[in-house]
Structure formats: C-alpha cells, structure tokens
Amino acid sequence: MKLLLDTKPIKEWGIQFENRPVVIAGPCSAETEKQVLDTAFQLKEKGITIFRAGIWKPRTRPGYFEGVGSKGLAWLKKVKEETGLLVATEVASEKHVYEALKYGIDILWVGARSTANPFVVQDIADALKGIDIPILVKNPINPDLELWKGAIERIHAAGISRIGAIHRGFSSYGKTVYRNLPTWQLPIDLKTDFPNIPMINDPSHIAGKRELLFEIIQKAMDLNFDGLIIESHCDPSCALSDAAQQVTPNDLDKMLKSIIIRNPNGQSKESYQELKEYRAQIDSFDKMLLNLLEERMEIVKKIGRFKKNNNLTILQSTRWEQIIEKNLEEGSSRGFSELFINRLFKAIHQESIEYQTKIMNE
Ligand code: PEP
Ligand code: MN
C-alpha cells in the first residue's frame, strides 16, 4: 500500500550536498576527544558535510566497549563549532534524545535494535514531540518491513517532517559473506510504500569488513539510493568497536570518487528505444512464466485430488527433496545461484501446498 507520509524529500532538508549521494561519515564510536576531532577534520578536508559518531553503543553481547556516554556529546559539539560539520548520533531512549538535543546534535538516528522494539521507538517519538530535527530510522535487525514502517510512522506521528530510512542489512543465523544480509528487496519495498522517504545505505554494517564496502556502495547507487552512512576512523585498526569495517577518511574519499553515478530516468529519452525493446521482451517472458506456472498449478491440483482420494499427506518430504536437488543441479548448469533456485522453488512449493490444502479442505 502506497502511503503518502507528509515527509520532506532530502532536497528540502536544508542540508548541503552536491547532487547524489548525501554522505554521512564518521567513526562507529566516539572514543576520545582527539580521535573524534582528528577524524572530523580529515573528513571535512575530503568534502564530507555530515559527521556521525556513536555515543551510546548497543552491543549485542556485554563485555565490549559500550560508548563513552554523554561526555562524548561535548566532543561532537566541538566538531560542529570547529569544523562547521553537521553532527549525527544514535538515540535509543528518551534520555538520549534530551541529552543529544541539549548539546545541539543536528541529526538523530534510531538504531536497528531499537527499530525492532515499538516501545522504545514510541519513547523516542514522545521525546521528539514538537522538535524539528531530521531523524533517520535504521531497518530492524530482522527482515520485517512492517516493523520498519511502524517505526517510521511513530516518528512521523510525533510531527517530524524530515525522516529518512537507513538500510543496514538484516541478521541471519550462520556465517555468510556479509555481517548483515543486504536483502535489497526490503528497502525497495519500503520505498514503494513510502515514496517520499530518502533511503540511505549503510554499507559498513552490511559488509562488516572494508574489502566489501565498495561493491555495496555501488549497488546502492545503482538502486538509486539517496545517500550513504559510512564508518570512518582516523586509525581504523585501533577502533574500539567495528574495527574491521572502518576506513580512513582518505580511503573513504578514494571510494567515493570511484562511484559511478548512473542516470535513474532512462525511460523518457528517445535514445533508450533499445532498452524499451528489451523491456518489452522481458514483459513477454514474464507472461510466459506466469502461463507456465498456471499450467503447472493445474497439475498440482490434480495431484491434490489424488492425495485426498488416496488419503496421502500433502507434504511428501522425499519428493520435495528430489525436486529441490534436481533443480539445484539444473539451475547451476544454467548459471543460477543456489540461493535463487532455493528461493524460487520454495516459493512455488509453498503456493502448491496452499492450493492442495484448499482441495483437502473442500
Ligand atoms: C552504528 O551505526 O554504529 C550501529 C550500532 O548500527 P546498527 O544499529 O545498524 O547496528
Ligand atoms: Mn558500528
């Protein structure tokens, strides 16, 4: 459902940036006054205009650096006064909001663990009532679009007009190449439902390691994201949190200069006739796919009736294992990833089970 939240597009936020993307950069955590100021000055020199630093750090497990607390706000205030950069930090409670406002923090963000908790988000929203400050809402740690939307709606209902979303990836069980899975479809879906919301990518928390940052940044740009929030530290290897994913201001600058910004409005130009033709072909393949799936489903229904008449369960595990195994093999010989084939056939199988359940209950 498309909801026209009464929020301002990023160009009307009154923050300075040249074209796409808006870049927010700074360390994961404020550690010392020197580290904060050194990083800020180096970033300023590279043309960054918005500085981030975590003051209260939500660590998944105890025993790690949990942030310097309110005293770090004074360092951010100093950054603002001495460099002119706008400063941003994470808030996770009413107290954090009041403290941050007291020190003149320009932009606040709601962290992934907070977005997952409507009580926390509501407390933050209540503390923000009547205050005109930009708020960025990170996606919840779990891939739940409704929680993300709900948090945005709560902040919006507090009267905030400058709301942005941060895509920082989603946790998963087991090891993957990413620290948090990007699952790009979720930010795309959020943008479909809330078309006005600026979408900011956080490649640092998706990647978990600097080597992966650039490919995520480029992908975010190719998906037409409005901005980036990237962790940058004057001495990354000595960082007290998230050392492996932080980059020096110099390396950040190199990466930003390598981004290719492509045109999001291709369709309107005449020279894009070729693209139009390809798209027509894609549309016709999509139709064929649906026709094939419809035919497949007719057989599924016949099997459903057979199972009902012969008192067989809908799920026949060995048969399902055979389907997935055979198609993984066929798929891989055609160059499809295992993840894609798994998702595709699980979706088809799920729908088939729904159809057969209906038949069983007839
Ligand atoms: C952060 O931005 O440093 C942070 C803690 O992020 P997240 O809430 O995405 O884990
Ligand atoms: Mn971090």
Side-chain angles (χ1 to χ4, degrees):
M1 184 181 41
K2 212 173 252 198
L3 289 171
L4 279 175
L5 284 189
D6 180 21
T7 54
K8 290 186 182 152
I10 194 107
K11 289 198 169 55
E12 293 168 26
W13 280 30
I15 54 175
Q16 216 196 336
F17 63 96
E18 289 174 19
N19 297 323
R20 259 181 47 218
V22 180
V23 179
I24 303 169
C28 177
S29 306
E31 299 164 4
T32 65
E33 181 171 340
K34 180 169 168 13
Q35 166 251 5
V36 167
L37 282 155
D38 283 357
T39 309
F41 272 105
Q42 289 175 29
L43 288 167
K44 161 95 180 170
E45 204 177 292
K46 300 296 180 193
I48 298 296
T49 53
I50 311 174
F51 183 75
R52 65 149 281 159
I55 295 295
W56 302 278
K57 298 305 298 179
R59 306 314 295 269
T60 302
R61 302 190 53 197
Y64 296 90
F65 177 63
E66 299 206 315
V68 292
S70 298
K71 75 172 179 199
L73 292 169
W75 307 338
L76 292 186
K77 188 162 179 248
K78 206 159 175 185
V79 165
K80 194 173 155 166
E81 287 162 0
E82 295 194 8
T83 65
L85 293 175
L86 295 179
V87 290
T89 200
E90 171 176 347
V91 288
S93 68
E94 277 179 271
K95 175 188 159 237
H96 293 169
V97 173
Y98 296 137
E99 288 282 291
L101 294 174
K102 202 163 80 192
Y103 282 89
I105 305 301
D106 301 289
I107 299 173
L108 304 178
W109 80 81
V110 178
R113 291 158 195 78
S114 303
T115 305
N117 184 338
F119 287 131
V120 171
V121 177
Q122 193 55 54
D123 277 352
I124 295 171
D126 290 343
L128 287 167
K129 276 212 178 94
I131 311 228
D132 181 26
I133 186 171
I135 309 290
L136 306 173
V137 181
K138 285 203 173 196
N139 67 251
I141 44 177
N142 51 328
D144 185 329
L145 185 61
E146 294 301 301
L147 271 177
W148 200 1
K149 283 163 66 174
I152 290 168
E153 285 163 341
R154 286 177 198 277
I155 301 291
H156 179 252
I160 300 290
S161 64
R162 290 173 290 175
I163 308 180
I166 300 178
H167 167 232
R168 55 76 82 189
F170 305 89
S171 57
S172 64
Y173 183 65
K175 251 180 123 49
T176 76
V177 43
Y178 299 106
R179 177 176 174 192
N180 290 293
L181 292 177
T183 320
W184 294 94
Q185 194 56 45
L186 258 117
I188 294 172
D189 288 348
L190 185 83
K191 196 73 185 168
T192 309
D193 289 347
F194 294 160
N196 284 343
I197 289 278
M199 183 60 73
I200 293 174
N201 176 254
D202 173 348
S204 307
H205 292 90
I206 292 176
K209 44 185 166 307
R210 7 184 194 281
E211 298 71 37
L212 277 184
L213 288 175
F214 186 74
E215 65 176 73
I216 299 167
I217 292 174
Q218 184 60 55
K219 175 139 183 179
M221 293 301 97
D222 287 335
L223 292 176
N224 205 19
F225 276 52
D226 300 277
L228 298 163
I229 178 165
I230 308 178
E231 288 188 344
S232 177
H233 190 292
C234 55
D235 187 3
S237 58
C238 294
L240 298 182
S241 59
D242 292 352
Q245 71 195 30
Q246 305 206 55
V247 285
T248 61
N250 201 33
D251 286 345
L252 173 67
D253 186 51
K254 277 192 218 152
M255 264 191 295
L256 295 177
K257 284 190 173 128
S258 314
I259 299 178
I260 301 170
I261 301 288
R262 301 182 166 98
N263 179 6
N265 301 315
Q267 309 89 305
S268 55
K269 290 193 184 164
E270 268 178 32
S271 59
Y272 285 84
Q273 187 56 30
E274 188 181 338
L275 180 61
K276 252 177 149 174
E277 280 163 21
Y278 291 142
R279 287 196 168 147
Q281 289 178 26
I282 289 286
D283 290 347
S284 106
F285 276 116
D286 286 349
K287 201 164 179 177
M288 286 194 264
L289 278 174
L290 287 175
N291 288 341
L292 275 177
L293 285 172
E294 191 184 8
E295 281 181 43
R296 188 188 191 281
M297 211 47 93
E298 287 309 314
I299 310 292
V300 165
K301 286 186 205 161
K302 284 186 188 166
I303 295 178
R305 277 178 221 116
F306 180 89
K307 285 177 181 164
K308 185 174 182 178
N309 295 337
N310 292 280
N311 216 20
L312 294 172
T313 55
I314 293 179
L315 183 65
Q316 308 265 302
S317 307
T318 36
R319 168 66 182 152
W320 166 235
E321 279 160 24
Q322 282 164 1
I323 292 185
I324 214 62
E325 205 172 301
K326 182 168 55 68
N327 286 302
L328 278 175
E329 207 178 299
E330 292 258 353
S332 123
S333 73
R334 289 167 166 80
F336 292 122
S337 72
E338 202 177 310
L339 182 68
F340 170 66
I341 297 292
N342 256 313
R343 281 186 180 153
L344 176 67
F345 281 92
K346 273 188 189 157
I348 294 174
H349 188 236
Q350 186 63 45
E351 186 73 356
S352 307
I353 288 177
E354 301 291 332
Y355 270 72
Q356 293 192 348
T357 307
K358 255 185 238 153
I359 289 170
M360 286 290 177
N361 295 336
E362 258 165 17

